Amino acid sequence: MRRLREAWQGFKVGTWLGWQIESNWTEPFLFAIYSVIKPVAGVLILVFMYLVVAQGGLQNPLFPQVFLGTTFYLYVVNVLSGISWTVTDDREHYGMLKYAYMAPMHFYGYLLGRGMAKTLVATISVLITLAFGIVFLRVQLSFRNPGLLLVGLPLGLAALAFYGILLAGVSLLIARHGWMVGDVVAGGLYLLCGTAFPLSLLPSPFRALGLGLPPTYWLEALRRALLGQGLHPELSALSDAQLLLILTGATVLGIALSVGIFRAAERVAARRGLLDMQTMY
Amino acid sequence: MAQEALAVKTEELTRVFRLRKREAREGRREILALDRVNLEVPRGELFGLLGPNGAGKTTLIKILATLLAPTSGRAFVAGVDVVANPAEVRRHINMVCGGETSGYGLLTVEENLWMFAQFYGIPSREARRRIRELLSLVGLADRAKTKVYHLSSGMRQKMNIVRGFLTDPEILFLDEPTLGLDVQTARTIREFVRNWLREHPDRTILLTTHYMHEADELCDRVAIIDRGRILACAAPSELKHMLQREAVFRLYVEGVADARAALDGMPGVRALAQEAEDGRLRLDLILAEEGVLVSVLSRLQEAGAKLAELRKEEPTLEDVFLALVGRRLTEGTP
Ligand SMILES: Nc1ncnc2c1ncn2[C@@H]1O[C@H](COP(=O)(O)OP(=O)(O)OP(=O)(O)O)[C@@H](O)[C@H]1O
Ligand SMILES: [Mg+2]
């Protein structure tokens, strides 16, 4: 009971702090760059490549699929990798990890809260990018299946947060280069999860890997919900309900793995004296 | 339970750091940072750990604060085993480390502290009241709305001190709380610590320092630590009393750069430290008794040294350290 209250406490203060850091309202210019200009610029680069490489330009039915995948991938970077960057940031940059860690609040809850803040900020970016796509790139959203969206979106976001904590555990053990964990994973998922191109373009071992990763199913569910159809023929046999079931399974697995791995990582970090390691100063 | 009366207790507490091959120091791959440390600190005490750089002070504090696991031995804080039940230990403690630049620079002083109070579940209104009160006690009230990246390092340190006391911890660890501060700020902080403990007599503070004045002035009891071992543990006056039968002298001599060769191993010379000062050589001597001084002086004369000044000193904690270790506190761990 008490532990639960401490977890809630951690979640609340983590969210507050995360929001203060991420949104940095005192510098609206920086905030605009990070949450508006950067994601939109990312999409524009994609549009440009698309016009050069693909035939039929923006009229190609593949384009909205790719646009949507890239837009929602913003969540993967911000939430999944973001949470693991938090550990490195707090430890190396702010020197605060040890204080957050030795406080009676639940550290896991605190990290979830930091993830919550990242999710909120990413949502702003995603909405702006979507609006940009609808207005300037003529992307048509159909909202064919609002149920799939309302269940699938939060389910996937929760899963991203849990796997983010798993990565945070790994970052905890990599003193100097902890941020790399988030970078490498984000890059890998971009390529493997059918974000910007169909899985069928991948060599078959990588395709199999992509089919084993939850974000693939999440993006597919979002595509079906918002565009009326998915991208990958490999997944077309799955019903919407089956997709959601897979996402639920992945989320539950994420909870179990993240709790277990984070705990183990904490123990190793305490043994090696990594919790307050500052290597850059 | 007897253990409950103790704020801190360690049993044969040992910590070994293993180094990577390329980090090896003088061929050693293992650093014995704490060597079978046994300590008992009763509640209500201001207990000091006095030792040179690298003695193991921070290592001990980190273990007690649940940030570092011991290699062997056990440690109890508020009667709770730090390894078996760290979550429970954390409800009783807080910690401040000197000489670091922790804090979220883009939050204000007040926001940083408020957030920290939230880590501990202190109700918002109570937190704000305490923040106001503590900030004005350390003389930082006018900076409450300043962003932390605009603070000088002394101001940051004051904020961190407030952070430690804000949660009203049963047991507070202060790791070199005045490190690198100017004299005035250090004094403010010492005064604040003393007053706080007077008003909260059931609270315990474990403080580390390598300033002997700080230990002498503040602490009820002091443990002298060197190379991971506790060499003595008593009230400052008792520690100095240990040297009562011995004689502590300070000599200034001219004409020699090194007096060790002449005096080392001489019967009756308990300890010797030397340092060049204004073109002369300063010698701090601890002698078994005053009578030894005569032979010391003649030995120095034979070595070509001319006596410029001679003083009999009241023993300080520095001298106690010198007598115990054979080095000065400020010399660090070789
Ligand atoms: N993470 C670590 N890895 C390797 N060696 C370490 C680590 N932390 C401390 N040590 C070593 O352990 C010994 C004790 O260090 P510790 O920091 O406890 O000393 P200290 O008494 O706090 O010194 P100071 O006055 O300089 O703060 C030193 O030799 C130090 O180099
Ligand atoms: Mg130290």
Side-chain angles (χ1 to χ4, degrees):
Chain A
M1 201 45 223
R2 188 174 189 186
R3 211 65 192 116
L4 210 63
R5 203 176 61 229
E6 286 167 351
W8 173 237
Q9 193 65 35
F11 180 77
K12 274 195 305 187
V13 64
T15 309
W16 180 84
L17 175 64
W19 182 251
Q20 296 298 319
I21 293 176
E22 310 296 330
S23 64
N24 196 3
W25 297 112
T26 50
E27 307 214 22
F29 177 68
L30 278 182
F31 182 65
I33 287 188
Y34 273 97
S35 59
V36 181
I37 299 172
K38 212 171 131 203
V40 170
V43 167
L44 283 179
I45 290 171
L46 190 83
V47 168
F48 178 72
M49 293 196 307
Y50 203 82
L51 289 174
V52 173
V53 176
Q55 284 147 10
L58 301 186
Q59 267 65 54
N60 189 321
L62 219 51
F63 179 72
Q65 298 279 358
V66 170
F67 170 78
L68 210 72
T70 314
T71 305
F72 279 93
Y73 175 78
L74 286 170
Y75 276 123
V76 178
V77 181
N78 275 279
V79 182
L80 182 89
S81 308
I83 291 180
S84 77
W85 288 327
T86 295
V87 165
T88 312
D89 246 19
D90 270 15
R91 178 166 54 190
E92 289 281 354
H93 186 66
Y94 300 114
M96 283 296 285
L97 185 79
K98 59 177 167 183
Y99 295 113
Y101 188 80
M102 62 165 282
M105 72 173 174
H106 205 300
F107 192 68
Y108 189 100
Y110 167 79
L111 282 182
L112 268 186
R114 294 291 293 268
M116 185 68 196
K118 305 237 180 223
T119 308
L120 292 175
V121 173
T123 300
I124 297 175
S125 304
V126 166
L127 288 177
I128 288 171
T129 312
L130 282 178
F132 181 86
I134 292 168
V135 174
F136 296 105
L137 305 175
R138 305 282 155 83
V139 174
Q140 288 181 350
L141 300 187
S142 70
F143 293 102
R144 178 192 63 113
N145 193 341
L148 189 57
L149 183 69
L150 286 179
V151 179
L153 181 64
L155 205 55
L157 290 177
L160 285 177
F162 292 124
Y163 286 100
I165 291 181
L166 190 159
L167 293 188
V170 179
S171 304
L172 207 52
L173 302 181
I174 304 178
R176 198 172 339 205
H177 306 295
W179 51 268
M180 272 177 28
V181 176
D183 280 9
V184 168
V185 170
L189 291 179
Y190 185 83
L191 294 176
L192 292 172
C193 292
T195 307
F197 49 82
L199 284 174
S200 52
L201 292 184
L202 287 173
S204 66
F206 291 108
R207 193 183 323 149
L209 195 56
L211 285 171
L213 294 169
T216 309
Y217 298 85
W218 185 54
L219 292 178
E220 184 75 357
L222 293 172
R223 285 174 170 129
R224 284 193 197 176
L226 289 172
L227 299 173
Q229 60 180 17
L231 174 64
H232 311 298
E234 293 92 332
L235 303 181
S236 59
L238 295 172
S239 69
D240 292 353
Q242 279 171 320
L243 267 184
L244 286 181
L245 202 66
I246 289 174
L247 284 178
T248 310
T251 309
V252 172
L253 185 69
I255 294 176
L257 281 180
S258 66
V259 169
I261 290 182
F262 194 79
R263 255 202 215 140
E266 279 179 308
R267 264 198 300 274
V268 175
R271 215 159 43 226
R272 298 205 199 138
L274 297 174
L275 289 167
D276 62 338
M277 193 59 106
Q278 279 185 305
T279 54
M280 297 187 200
Y281 298 95
Chain B
M1 237 164 59
Q3 226 163 50
E4 293 285 339
L6 290 176
V8 172
K9 178 180 164 69
T10 70
E11 293 170 355
E12 302 284 299
L13 193 67
T14 300
R15 171 71 209 202
V16 177
F17 287 108
R18 288 180 217 300
L19 302 178
R20 292 188 197 159
K21 211 164 205 163
R22 62 188 147 83
E23 296 171 329
R25 293 180 209 169
E26 294 154 7
R28 284 179 304 149
R29 296 268 307 270
E30 289 194 345
I31 302 278
L32 187 55
L34 289 178
D35 186 6
R36 287 162 292 150
V37 168
N38 293 297
L39 268 187
E40 291 195 354
V41 181
R43 281 184 194 268
E45 194 164 73
L46 205 174
F47 187 87
L49 273 174
L50 178 67
N53 291 127
K57 306 181 294 293
T58 302
T59 304
L60 178 58
I61 295 247
K62 280 195 210 168
I63 292 176
L64 297 175
T66 75
L67 290 172
L68 184 69
T71 307
S72 65
R74 308 219 289 166
F76 301 88
V77 171
V80 183
D81 187 321
V82 295
V83 174
N85 196 353
E88 181 55 33
V89 169
R90 291 177 191 138
R91 297 184 180 117
H92 302 270
I93 61 169
N94 201 344
M95 173 181 77
V96 177
C97 303
E100 61 173 33
T101 53
S102 58
Y104 293 99
L106 30 89
L107 301 184
T108 66
V109 170
E110 199 175 37
E111 285 168 339
N112 259 289
L113 292 170
W114 176 84
M115 175 198 76
F116 196 76
Q118 298 312 297
F119 286 0
Y120 287 74
I122 299 167
S124 216
R125 183 190 292 194
E126 171 65 10
R128 287 188 202 290
R129 189 189 63 73
R130 289 191 202 171
I131 291 167
R132 262 198 312 276
E133 186 184 313
L134 290 169
L135 281 180
S136 70
L137 281 177
V138 299
L140 204 60
D142 55 335
R143 296 301 176 126
K145 308 275 185 210
T146 304
K147 292 209 184 291
V148 167
Y149 59 69
H150 287 310
L151 296 184
S152 70
S153 63
M155 291 173 181
R156 251 185 201 235
Q157 185 57 8
K158 283 181 176 174
M159 178 186 83
N160 283 332
I161 289 280
V162 169
R163 185 170 58 56
F165 289 88
L166 178 60
T167 63
D168 197 14
E170 275 170 52
I171 299 154
L172 177 59
F173 303 111
L174 299 177
D175 191 8
E176 315 234 11
T178 60
L179 186 70
L181 295 180
D182 63 81
V183 178
Q184 184 54 46
T185 311
R187 191 177 300 147
T188 309
I189 286 178
R190 278 200 290 270
E191 233 158 70
F192 171 76
V193 169
R194 213 178 359 236
N195 290 337
W196 187 80
L197 215 54
R198 195 176 301 136
E199 282 161 29
H200 303 78
D202 55 334
R203 302 292 195 251
T204 310
I205 293 181
L206 200 162
L207 168 144
T208 79
T209 182
H210 60 259
Y211 302 128
M212 66 144 190
H213 285 300
E214 192 159 281
D216 201 354
E217 192 187 311
L218 273 180
C219 300
D220 301 320
R221 277 196 313 146
V222 172
I224 292 186
I225 180 171
D226 185 50
R227 299 183 201 197
R229 285 172 41 226
I230 305 280
L231 301 175
C233 178
S237 58
E238 284 174 48
L239 286 173
K240 288 181 281 188
H241 204 78
M242 287 172 19
L243 292 185
Q244 198 96 71
R245 288 188 38 242
E246 280 139 25
V248 181
F249 287 99
R250 172 163 294 183
L251 279 61
Y252 289 89
V253 296
E254 286 163 355
V256 289
D258 184 2
R260 270 201 192 280
L263 300 180
D264 260 353
M266 225 182 121
V269 176
R270 285 281 158 80
L272 158 70
Q274 60 177 5
E275 201 172 342
E277 203 177 289
D278 305 328
R280 307 187 297 183
L281 188 66
R282 192 183 85 203
L283 297 175
D284 289 323
L285 283 168
I286 297 172
L287 306 178
E289 40 130 352
E290 286 191 22
V292 179
L293 186 63
V294 182
S295 38
V296 165
L297 291 178
S298 63
R299 186 72 77 87
L300 282 172
Q301 206 165 20
E302 284 164 27
K306 220 176 105 221
L307 183 67
E309 199 181 324
L310 167 72
R311 276 191 241 145
K312 178 149 200 289
E313 300 274 339
E314 279 304 303
T316 64
L317 287 184
E318 176 87 54
D319 299 318
V320 177
F321 186 84
L322 182 60
L324 286 169
V325 181
R327 275 180 288 122
R328 236 195 287 268
L329 255 176
T330 46
E331 283 174 34
T333 305

